[in-house]
């Protein structure tokens, strides 16, 4: 048996959703806590699988972790092991980020192979190349990465692409390394800046320069710090889309406008209207026009907004284009939307202006959506976390019942989604069903 979400559309979704701290910041803050010489406290944590997994990894390393509702306190003082157990292999992308902090505290580290969603090849060469430049010896085995370093030192590191994770790896290693690290070609996503500010709060010396450069002067020690996480911009966009795709209006609380600027400008271009205050953003539309959108690094249209937007395109009369430039394989959810009646064609040519990162790949990087076709509920299997949310959106705007399996992907990254959708008026329930044979 497996868990399924059963969705019965009810018409326009309306109401309020409060988002919590973002999935892609909370876990990094928990890892950064390993670097302090006293406990750190992270508040506004979402209730998601990735937090459970990261806390279990920290506990396996010996850290004492206290979780009280939305607040997590990590005491790194009891850390004694250098090995993240192999049972965490493939669960999420966090173990690789623990290499630097483990090397600083115990001089050696083992982390199992990183996991996360199957959205194309997700190499870790930027992380390992940077750590090697800083003095780590790294040996990649079938099971994971073994690393050793008696003394990590600053270096000049140039990332070939502004990778979020590799930037975070370098920041969390350079802050306690000897001397200066100059990091070029770095990511500037809000979650990365949030982490850099937390490290500064812990006593790190980090300068942010124009043109994707960070300068980090290593210090001898860092103390614990506290931080109230900022709202998840992926969830915020996804719920705004839930209102728009059903012809309703959702007001999202807890994610500031600056984190949504490109989402708001893109949806505005399509005809959406907004009410924006210091604490909330709500969106509605009389009619939405099609659009051409390409995903990009910040401040561009983020890759994690791509699948909800494509779901929305299916209900905008006319031809829309989505070009994915960050990940190699992020349209695995398209066949299921087509099974529901959407008219989406995939292409492996670049239908946009940004350089194609995966030239020669056989997986599609662009889609053309012929919007306006009615959707029918059916049985679908979630391929990855963001694709899964697109299914819920499509199901909410379809005719008839949709049964969604593979929802463990959604549980890993969305804070109480069933409760939130129920508050918005959707008829959505979690049930147990026999395991389906394979993904759509
Ligand atoms: N890349 C490499 N080598 C590396 C690292 C990355 O080639 O060593 C490539 C990747 O293959 C990809 C590109 O660089 O093509 C960008 O990857 P990045 O490192 O920025 O992604 P990430 O850190 O693994 C985080 C989020 C993703 C989000 C991306 C981009 C976390 C845990 N994950 O991934 O979130 O899409 O940044 O903003 O922070 C999600 O939440 O659904 C999700 C996938």
């Amino acid at each position: 048996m497996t868990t399924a979400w059963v969705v019965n559309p009810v018409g326009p979704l309306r109401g309020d959703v409060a988002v919590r701290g973002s999935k892609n910041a909370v876990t990094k803050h928990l890892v950064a806590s390993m670097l302090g010489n006293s406990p750190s406290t992270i508040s506004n944590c979402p209730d998601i699988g990735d937090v459970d997994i990261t806390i279990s990894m920290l506990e396996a390393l010996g850290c004492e972790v206290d979780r009280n509702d939305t607040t997590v306190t990590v005491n790194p003082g009891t850390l004694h092991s250098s090995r993240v157990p192999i049972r965490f292999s493939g669960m999420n992308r966090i173990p690789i980020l623990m290499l630097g902090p483990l090397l600083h505290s115990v001089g050696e580290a083992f982390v199992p192979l990183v996991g996360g969603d199957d959205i194309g090849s997700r190499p870790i060469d930027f992380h390992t190349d940077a750590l090697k430049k800083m003095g780590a010896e790294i040996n990649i085995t079938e099971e994971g990465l073994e690393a050793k370093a008696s003394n990590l030192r600053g270096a000049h590191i140039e990332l070939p692409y502004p990778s979020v994770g590799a930037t975070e790896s370098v920041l969390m290693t350079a802050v306690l390394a000897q001397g200066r690290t100059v990091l070029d070609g770095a990511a500037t996503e809000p979650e990365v800046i949030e982490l850099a500010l937390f490290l500064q709060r812990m006593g790190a010396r980090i300068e942010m320069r124009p043109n994707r450069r960070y300068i980090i002067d290593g210090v001898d020690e860092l103390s614990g710090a506290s931080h109230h996480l900022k709202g998840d911009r992926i969830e915020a966009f996804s719920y705004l889309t839930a209102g728009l795709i059903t012809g309703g209006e959702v007001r999202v609380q807890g994610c500031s406008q600056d984190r949504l600027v490109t989402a708001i400008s893109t949806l505005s271009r399509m005809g959406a209207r907004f009410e924006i205050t210091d604490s909330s953003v709500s969106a509605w539309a009389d009619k939405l026009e099609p659009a051409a959108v390409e995903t990009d690094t910040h401040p561009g249209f983020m890759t994690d907004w791509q699948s909800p937007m494509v779901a929305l395109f299916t209900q905008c009369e006319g031809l829309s284009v989505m070009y994915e430039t960050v990940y190699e394989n992020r349209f695995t959810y398209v066949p299921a939307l087509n099974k529901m009646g959407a008219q989406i064609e995939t292409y492996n040519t670049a239908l946009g202006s940004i350089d194609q990162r995966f030239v020669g790949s056989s997986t599609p990087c662009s889609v053309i959506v012929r919007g306006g076709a009615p959707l029918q509920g059916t049985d679908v299997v979630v391929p990855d976390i963001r694709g899964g949310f697109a299914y819920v959106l499509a199901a909410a705007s379809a005719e008839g019942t949709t049964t969604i399996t593979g929802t463990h992907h959604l549980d890993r990254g969305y804070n109480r989604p069933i409760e939130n959708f129920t508050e918005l008026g959707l008829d959505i329930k979690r049930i147990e069903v026999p395991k389906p044979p394979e993904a759509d």
Side-chain angles (χ1 to χ4, degrees), residues 320-392:
S320 290
V321 179
M322 178 61 77
Y323 170 39
E324 167 63 45
T325 74
V326 179
Y327 286 114
E328 186 182 4
N329 193 18
R330 224 176 187 181
F331 288 117
T332 47
Y333 62 90
V334 164
L337 292 190
N338 282 343
K339 183 175 160 194
M340 294 178 76
Q343 294 184 6
I344 308 174
E345 281 177 15
T346 57
Y347 297 85
N348 53 13
T349 43
L351 299 178
S353 64
I354 300 172
D355 281 346
Q356 154 65 300
R357 262 176 65 66
F358 303 100
V359 178
S361 168
S362 58
T363 56
C365 60
S366 309
V367 296
I368 295 185
V369 184
R370 186 178 295 279
L375 301 180
Q376 278 298 324
T378 183
D379 295 351
V380 289
V381 185
V382 172
D384 69 78
I385 169 175
R386 307 303 170 196
F389 203 96
Y391 292 178
V392 182

Side-chain angles (χ1 to χ4, degrees), residues 23-25 27-28 50 92-94 96-97 115-117 119-129 159-168 187 189 191-192 232-234 296-298 302-304 324-328 330 357-358 384-387 412-414:
K23 159 184 167 286
N24 291 343
T27 45
K28 324 297 175 60
D50 259 9
N92 67 14
R93 306 273 304 162
I94 302 309
I96 186 84
L97 299 174
D117 288 312
I119 51 182
S121 63
R122 291 183 77 179
I124 48 168
D125 53 329
F126 302 167
H127 299 251
T128 50
D129 289 352
L159 296 179
Y161 182 81
S163 152
V164 166
T167 301
E168 293 165 338
E189 267 62 10
E191 296 79 10
V192 179
D232 191 310
R233 63 194 170 120
I234 306 174
D296 202 353
T297 53
H298 188 73
M302 72 184 304
T303 170
D304 303 297
E324 167 63 45
T325 74
V326 179
Y327 286 114
E328 186 182 4
R330 224 176 187 181
R357 262 176 65 66
F358 303 100
D384 69 78
I385 169 175
R386 307 303 170 196
R412 195 163 67 74
Y414 291 94

Side-chain angles (χ1 to χ4, degrees), residues 245 309-316 337 342 344 369-373 375:
I245 197 171
M309 186 59 122
V310 168
L312 185 61
F313 284 165
T314 69
Q315 299 309 298
C316 303
L337 292 190
I344 308 174
V369 184
R370 186 178 295 279
L375 301 180

Side-chain angles (χ1 to χ4, degrees), residues 238-255:
S238 305
Y239 285 110
L240 290 176
T241 311
L244 291 169
I245 197 171
T246 55
E249 177 178 349
V250 170
R251 181 164 55 191
V252 173
Q253 313 265 6
C255 179

